Each structure stands twice: as C-alpha cells, then as structure tokens.
Amino acid sequence: MSAKTTALTVLSAALLVPTMLVAPAHAAPTPPADAKGQPGKAPAPAPPVSMSTVGGSLLGQPGTQVNLLPGAPALPANLTGRSWIVADAESGEVLAAHNAHWRLPPASTMKMLFADTVLPTLPKDQVHKVTDKDMEGVGPGSSLVGVKEDHEYSVHDLWLGVFLRSGNDAVHVLSAMNGGVEKTVKDMQAHAEELQALDTHVVSPDGYDAPEQVSSAYDLTLVARSGLQKQDFREYCGTVSAKFPGLQEPGKPRDHFEIQNTNRLMTGAGGIPPYKGIAGVKNGNTTMAGSTFTGAAQQGDRKLLVTVMNPGAGGANSVYQETAALFDWGFAAAGKVKPVGELVPPKSADTSSHGSPAQSHENDPSAAGKDAGGGAGTALGVAGGALAVLAGGAFVINRRWPRGRRGRGEELI
C-alpha cells in the first residue's frame, strides 16, 4: 500500500466518513495468504531505532528492557503492546519497559495532560453557561458526556465528564474557559516540556486523532505521576460513578443522569474483574491509537504506574488484561529487579541532564508507526458531589527524586 493510500485510509476512518463517500486513490494490495490460504495480516510497524534517552539510555533502545535478579518472576508471556512501562510511582524507578519512548498516538490518555495543566487554573465551584462557540471543534464520533448549549455546568461537573466519560464536549468547554483551544494546547505543550515529557506533541486537548499528535508510554507515565500529586486529580480519576446534570426545563428541578467510569479495571465492566488496589488513571481508544491505558495501583506500601499503548491482540479488553498482568508482575518483582531507568523530575525540580530526545518535534513530530529498521474497595462519599469512589481515592504519591544526578544517556543498571 502506498503512503498516500495509507494516509487517506487512516484519516477517513478517524473522521468516521462513510466509505462510499471517500474512495482510495488506488486499490489496496492484498497481504500474502498464509499456509492455509487465508488472507495474511499486514506486518506491524517496527519501533524507531533511535528514541529518546530521557530517564536512561536503556529506555531509548527498542525492545524489552529488564534486569532480573535471582528469584525474580519472568515477565508476562504474550504481551502485545507496542509500548509499555512499569514504574514505581514514588521512587520513579522503571522496573521494566518495552519501547518506552516510541512516539505513538495517545488517544484520550492525552486528557491526563489536559487535566494536569488546566485543573489548577479553574475553581471547581465556578459555573459556566455553555455557548455554541464553546462546542466548536468537537470531532465527529467523539466520546461525549452530554453537555448541552445554553445550559450551566460547574467546573466540578465538567471534570467528572472528562474523567468518567472521556467527554470531548466537556474538554472543549473547559478549554474555552481556559482561554480557548489554541491557548490550552500551548499551555499543555509548555507543561509537557516542564515535566520533561519530550516525546509529546499536542495538537488537540482531548486526544482526538490528529496528524502529528503523539506521546509515549514514558511521557504518559510522567504525566500521570504529576497529576496524582493533585488532590482533585486523584478524586476525579478515582471516581467510579457520579450524577451529571441533564436538561433544565423552566419551573422544574434539573434532571441528572448517572455516568460511570470507562476504566474497566476500576468498574469491572466488560467481563474484566476490578483490579485489587486500582486508583485510576485514564484509558483511551481511537482509530489511529488503538487502545491506550495508564493505571495506578497500590498493594501494601508499594505504588505502581503502568502504561500500555496499542496492544496487537484483538478485543476491547486486551489493554486492561495486559495492564493487569504487568501490575501483577511489578508487585511480585519489586525488590527483585534492577531498574532500567527512572521517571525524571520536572525541570523546575532538577535542572541536570537526564538524557535527550531522539529528535525535535519540528524534525519529525510523528515518528509513531514508522517502520524504522483492588478490587472495588469501600465506596465513600466525597463532599461537593454525589460520587462513588474507590479506596484508591485516598491514593497519594509521595514523590521522591533521585539523590544522585545521572549524566546524559547513562545506563541505570
């Protein structure tokens, strides 16, 4: 398939344009048949041979990076994510990783960066009446919470819509309150750079598929770790269900309807059992990104972050199954592996060099995809809203920065 044909096909799918309205320039070639005469699958793209070394040079190498000590459990078999990472949320040690800096479309996990950037700027009790202009730019086929023009919503309501229903409509209203989408994108990009999330290139605040919008498992984990420092962020990402404002008819009490978190490791939806100790954070799924997920969980005193991007296995549950398997491994392997890298501190906390990006955004912001070579816990009420949250709502990361300063590209072994 030509590059032009691939781009047209992906773009058409992402925009949900009916196929009868968009004809490819050329017919796509049929992949070679397998031994049984069945149509073959197109080969999966390979990771770049050169990736960022932020956090340690091993993290810039393609493939799986892990240093097992005697008695350490083997990594889960049959992992299919194009990129994944397991990290200690407090120390920042990366226990294992696979193509950690591969720049891939992030889908709605980008909303973690949106929230970490904008949450501190808007008082949660501020009320806003939604206008038609606020809703401009919400992409076709977007996930929506049900925000309506000419209705009023508190900032608190809108954040529930962002975290629970991944509502792009709520994102656009909050962006309008923050000075507009263009300003919000610039704010997010600046915050990503402050966090040293240098694989991330922001195009839309909601994670909707857009050319050149990329992040990485490493960056998404950095962002989640930053967000979990904030009480409101922890509250929202740890919420299972809530009441969201509906239509307001004159002279009548306003309707409300229930919304539920789309994080299946939290809710147990889709046949996935709730994961013991889960505390958030955010899932996503788009045509270009496939399934993406960043999760935080605690068992005993150990707090882990896991990010999985674009599993090759089919099914809506694969990203959750692979995340749960990596959580299981991480809790069992803690203290039995040597770290292969670290989650670096923000620039304002430590100005020493921790590695370098593989390339600038301007040179190639969309390296993604190029072929380059636990339980539910106890429900409790949260003041200010009718919420049901997991025990993970009390999940707090006491972030510890490394004592030593690691030089550019030094391996952490």
Side-chain angles (χ1 to χ4, degrees):
M1 179 183 292
S2 69
K4 181 178 179 181
T5 303
T6 303
L8 286 172
T9 303
V10 172
L11 182 60
S12 298
L15 297 177
L16 301 181
V17 178
T19 55
M20 74 273 295
L21 299 180
V22 180
H26 305 284
T30 302
D34 61 18
K36 297 181 179 180
Q38 299 297 318
K41 293 183 178 180
V49 295
S50 174
M51 293 181 282
S52 170
T53 60
V54 171
S57 61
L58 285 178
L59 299 181
Q61 298 181 16
T64 300
Q65 310 300 325
V66 65
N67 286 321
L68 301 176
L69 297 175
L75 282 166
N78 303 319
L79 294 173
T80 66
R82 290 185 180 178
S83 176
W84 54 259
I85 192 170
V86 183
D88 186 292
E90 293 198 327
S91 71
E93 292 179 343
V94 176
L95 306 185
H98 180 77
N99 301 326
H101 281 291
W102 192 356
R103 302 169 75 187
L104 298 164
S108 285
T109 48
M110 182 65 83
K111 290 182 173 75
M112 294 189 298
L113 178 60
F114 170 72
D116 196 36
T117 303
V118 178
L119 251 174
T121 70
L122 299 174
K124 64 192 308 180
D125 58 354
Q126 181 177 343
V127 175
H128 178 76
K129 187 173 183 179
V130 177
T131 68
D132 292 344
K133 185 175 178 58
D134 294 343
M135 303 287 280
E136 289 178 358
V138 176
S142 287
S143 53
L144 304 173
V145 66
V147 174
K148 301 296 183 185
E149 295 87 343
D150 298 322
H151 283 65
E152 291 184 342
Y153 300 87
S154 70
V155 168
H156 177 71
D157 293 330
L158 294 168
W159 282 120
L160 289 172
V162 171
F163 276 94
L164 273 67
R165 294 303 303 168
S166 204
N168 290 5
D169 47 357
V171 169
H172 278 256
V173 174
L174 288 165
S175 295
M177 297 174 69
N178 186 56
V181 168
E182 183 177 354
K183 176 183 179 296
T184 299
V185 166
K186 290 180 179 178
D187 291 347
M188 291 169 65
Q189 189 66 60
H191 187 53
E193 292 170 6
E194 156 63 15
L195 295 177
Q196 302 203 62
L198 303 181
D199 299 323
T200 299
H201 184 243
V202 185
V203 177
S204 66
D206 50 22
Y208 190 81
D209 281 339
E212 300 184 352
Q213 178 151 272
V214 290
S215 190
S216 67
Y218 183 87
D219 281 15
L220 293 173
T221 307
L222 276 185
V223 171
R225 191 184 189 211
S226 176
L228 289 166
Q229 311 304 306
K230 300 173 177 62
Q231 181 178 347
D232 285 350
F233 188 104
R234 294 194 303 270
E235 173 191 321
Y236 292 128
C237 79
T239 300
V240 180
S241 62
K243 296 293 186 181
F244 192 81
L247 296 177
Q248 175 69 68
E249 296 184 15
K252 295 182 179 180
R254 188 166 186 178
D255 289 336
H256 287 74
F257 57 92
E258 184 170 330
I259 57 175
Q260 188 176 57
N261 203 309
T262 54
N263 175 355
R264 295 186 179 186
L265 288 184
M266 181 174 288
T267 63
I272 293 290
Y275 190 81
K276 180 181 178 182
I278 193 71
V281 174
K282 190 72 189 74
N283 57 306
N285 188 292
T286 66
T287 301
M288 293 175 65
S291 295
T292 60
F293 182 70
T294 297
Q298 178 174 0
Q299 294 185 8
D301 293 332
R302 183 74 60 176
K303 301 168 186 176
L304 297 180
L305 288 164
V306 171
T307 296
V308 176
M309 301 186 77
N310 202 342
N317 286 336
S318 58
V319 74
Y320 302 107
Q321 292 166 338
E322 296 192 16
T323 298
L326 286 168
F327 269 132
D328 287 344
W329 176 85
F331 287 118
K336 301 176 183 177
V337 296
K338 290 184 178 180
V340 295
E342 66 178 1
L343 301 178
V344 298
K347 288 180 180 179
S348 58
D350 187 350
T351 58
S352 61
S353 173
H354 293 266
S356 61
Q359 53 200 332
S360 70
H361 296 309
E362 289 77 16
N363 290 339
D364 188 359
S366 56
K370 286 193 174 182
D371 187 353
T378 303
L380 54 102
V382 176
L387 308 179
V389 305
L390 299 182
F395 181 96
V396 178
I397 292 178
N398 298 308
R399 183 169 52 186
R400 303 192 299 271
W401 302 133
R403 290 194 180 93
R405 291 178 180 270
R406 296 183 170 96
R408 183 184 184 94
E410 180 182 346
E411 292 188 7
L412 306 177
I413 57 176

